[in-house]
Amino acid sequence: MSMPTLRIIAFILGIFLITLAISMLIPMLTLLVYSRTDDLNAFIWSSLATAAAGIAMILPGRPKEAHLRPRDMYLLTTASWLVVCIFAALPLTMVQHMGYTDAFFETMSGITTTGSTVLVGLDTASPGILIWRSMLNWLGGIGFIGMAVAILPLLRVGGMRLFQTESSDWGEKVMPRSHMAAKYILGTYLALTIIGFLAFWAAGMSPFDAINHTMASISTGGFSTSDQSLAHWQQPAVHWVAVVMMISGSLPFTLYVATIRGNRKAMLRDQQVRGFLAFLIVTWLVLGTWYWLNSNNSWLDAFRISAVNVTSIVTTTGFALGDYTTWGSFAILLFFYLTFIGGCSGSTAGGLKIFRVQVAYVLLKANLQQLIHPRAVIKQRYNNHTIDEDIVRSMITFSFFFAITIGVIALGLAAVGLDWTTALTGAVTAVCNVGPGMGPIIGPAGNFASLPDAAKWLLSLGMLLGRLEILTVLVLLTRAFWRH
């Protein structure tokens, strides 16, 4: 890789760091509003250090002769997440007086919108730290949308090319220039954030809790301002607002823009969206009925509690409404399966993504038909796209390494002393960017604070791999990538 290419990547990373430093002004203002000036210096010094690093990266200037190729985007994407996490962790080390391992884990969890946490005492925590954690969720969510819409389809990662037409046709069909797409997506993200804030506030949350939970839900990040998560608020309206916001963040943002631009049925016509919503509703009904039969709750309460927890897991948000690991073996196993699913492509959600499950069904159906009619020419289509061999190969590769990554990280966690339940579900929840695992340690009623440092670094790696669709990071480990 040439020096001009590395320079332009460093220049872009510098812009990211300066933006991050400016973002720290919001926690500073929050601390001033709540008269918590004792924590102010931590954010001031963190912001100055971050800004200084960013300025140092952009001072050499942007080389005019360098242009980023698609392969260079692998390095830029991975480096941007890592560099932002390294500096975004600084306020946590100063305010919470935690070690850098814990601070980095918390920050990686926030920026990858995973929602796993090592913090306790959130109900009395510094308002500056609480708003900063939620901002990490929010910034990570919009960052991933941009990557999923603009970069991953071009890099042909894990079948994302199925959605390349939607992103590459913006210039001709939806709006005059590609940079306008980013503006419309950001505008939609901001609009949904404002709507969510007003809805949470109207439902019974304080303005501070409302803005925090809005940023955590629209980004499917899951950081809360209470150790009890959503169970701290008993108002059913709060729970249903959270469900709507989590679903909103899990839908393709390109379809929001298409709807705004006049295609009113864009969402309803999308096969992925229809499948995702149908899957949620069916799972709500099944698990809600199970919980109703095995608890003292009314059916409506059981349905509501199940809807919140199911939506939280499927959308990889990580909120919890009570400890669902006490609901019985059927519920525990179903929640474990749901951890893998994820939301829609081009959304803030993690996981396998619902479209891969749907495409796998299309391929299975086609193969079964081929067995019955060996000479038939069977067309395999999904969402008005032909599923060619290139897409099938990409999806198989992604799915294989997705499973291998979970297996390797789980073995690593077991090697550092974790029990098998914590190791396996910890690996799954990290790679799928869900948040809580299973068991008494990292389940919905626990957190990750007691894990050894080695486990936290392994889980941080899993979060990064899962957020960046695995292949984006693994390609950097090949010798061919670094050759000219």
Side-chain angles (χ1 to χ4, degrees):
M1 185 168 288
S2 65
M3 284 303 297
T5 300
L6 293 176
R7 276 183 59 194
I8 193 172
I9 289 175
F11 183 86
I12 296 171
L13 292 177
I15 294 175
F16 287 165
L17 287 182
I18 292 173
T19 303
L20 185 70
I22 295 172
S23 299
M24 292 184 189
L25 290 173
I26 295 178
M28 295 181 206
L29 293 173
T30 303
L31 289 170
L32 290 174
V33 170
Y34 283 88
S35 301
R36 293 285 293 270
T37 54
D38 50 326
D39 297 330
L40 196 57
N41 284 338
F43 280 98
I44 292 175
W45 286 111
S46 299
S47 180
L48 290 174
T50 305
I55 292 171
M57 287 183 175
I58 67 173
L59 275 180
R62 176 175 177 172
K64 296 180 180 179
E65 69 278 9
H67 298 282
L68 289 179
R69 300 163 295 175
R71 58 174 285 174
D72 300 328
M73 300 303 292
Y74 291 110
L75 179 59
L76 174 61
T77 302
T78 304
S80 61
W81 251 264
L82 279 173
V83 170
V84 167
C85 283
I86 289 169
F87 285 89
L90 295 178
L92 288 165
T93 62
M94 299 181 189
V95 176
Q96 296 296 131
H97 305 293
M98 60 171 59
Y100 191 76
T101 295
D102 282 352
F104 185 86
F105 176 91
E106 190 80 10
T107 304
M108 180 63 78
S109 178
I111 206 73
T112 57
T113 70
T114 302
S116 303
T117 185
V118 296
L119 295 181
V120 293
L122 294 175
D123 299 82
T124 57
S126 165
I129 286 297
L130 292 177
I131 199 75
W132 182 237
R133 293 167 74 245
S134 300
M135 285 179 62
L136 291 177
N137 275 172
W138 195 86
L139 292 171
I142 189 62
F144 183 72
I145 291 171
M147 185 184 73
V149 170
I151 299 175
L152 290 181
L154 298 178
L155 299 182
R156 302 187 175 188
V157 173
M160 298 291 285
R161 194 160 60 86
L162 280 169
F163 305 95
Q164 185 173 5
T165 301
E166 284 84 352
S167 61
S168 62
D169 282 356
W170 294 86
E172 296 176 4
K173 296 181 179 179
V174 182
M175 52 199 70
R177 295 186 179 89
S178 59
H179 74 271
M180 290 297 292
K183 291 183 179 180
Y184 270 83
I185 290 173
L186 179 58
T188 302
Y189 198 66
L190 286 168
L192 289 172
T193 302
I194 294 171
I195 292 170
F197 165 70
L198 295 174
F200 272 122
W201 190 9
M205 281 187 172
S206 69
F208 182 76
D209 290 328
I211 190 60
N212 277 277
H213 284 83
T214 298
M215 289 193 286
S217 56
I218 193 62
S219 64
T220 63
F223 278 156
S224 180
T225 56
S226 173
D227 289 333
Q228 296 177 283
S229 192
L230 289 178
H232 181 77
W233 292 270
Q234 297 299 315
Q235 304 94 319
V238 168
H239 303 157
W240 285 115
V241 169
V243 168
V244 172
M245 292 304 298
M246 288 187 284
I247 293 174
S248 299
S250 301
L251 300 179
F253 273 72
T254 52
L255 295 184
Y256 281 119
V257 178
T259 303
I260 294 170
R261 298 287 296 178
N263 186 1
R264 304 302 180 193
K265 297 182 179 180
M267 284 284 187
L268 296 177
R269 289 175 178 171
D270 189 81
Q271 188 173 343
Q272 184 182 205
V273 172
R274 295 200 308 269
F276 174 67
L277 295 178
F279 178 81
L280 277 180
I281 293 170
V282 170
T283 311
W284 291 350
L285 291 170
V286 170
L287 199 56
T289 303
W290 166 269
Y291 187 43
W292 169 59
L293 293 173
N294 291 273
S295 71
N296 296 321
N297 291 287
S298 67
W299 189 87
L300 286 176
D301 284 340
F303 180 77
R304 170 176 50 84
I305 295 170
S306 298
V308 172
N309 287 309
V310 166
T311 306
S312 177
I313 297 299
V314 172
T315 63
T316 70
T317 304
F319 286 141
L321 185 55
D323 186 1
Y324 47 76
T325 60
T326 62
W327 294 7
S329 299
F330 173 79
I332 293 173
L333 195 56
L334 181 55
F335 273 114
F336 179 68
Y337 291 159
L338 294 177
T339 304
F340 293 89
I341 302 300
C344 298
S345 171
S347 71
T348 63
L352 273 170
K353 300 293 191 302
I354 197 73
F355 85 88
R356 292 191 178 101
V357 178
Q358 291 175 306
V359 171
Y361 173 74
V362 172
L363 296 176
L364 172 64
K365 185 178 178 181
N367 281 322
L368 292 177
Q369 292 176 338
Q370 197 77 60
L371 290 174
I372 299 172
H373 306 287
R375 297 183 180 180
V377 178
I378 300 172
K379 293 183 179 180
Q380 302 172 43
R381 294 182 64 81
Y382 172 75
N383 220 21
N384 297 321
H385 291 264
T386 299
I387 305 175
D388 56 32
E389 291 184 4
D390 189 29
I391 290 174
V392 174
R393 189 185 312 115
S394 178
M395 286 191 58
I396 291 174
T397 303
F398 172 82
S399 301
F400 175 77
F401 281 101
F402 184 86
I404 289 295
T405 300
I406 290 174
V408 170
I409 291 177
L411 281 175
L413 293 173
V416 299
L418 302 189
D419 65 273
W420 75 267
T421 301
T422 304
L424 177 59
T425 63
V428 172
T429 196
V431 175
C432 295
N433 303 124
V434 172
M438 295 289 180
I441 301 175
I442 62 171
N447 67 21
F448 291 72
S450 62
L451 301 189
D453 285 355
K456 292 169 185 172
W457 285 109
L458 275 172
L459 290 169
S460 296
L461 175 62
M463 294 179 212
L464 180 67
L465 288 169
R467 180 80 293 188
L468 301 186
E469 299 278 335
I470 297 177
L471 301 180
T472 308
V473 181
L474 292 184
V475 72
L476 300 180
L477 304 180
T478 62
R479 185 180 300 178
F481 175 83
W482 297 100
R483 292 175 180 170
H484 291 287

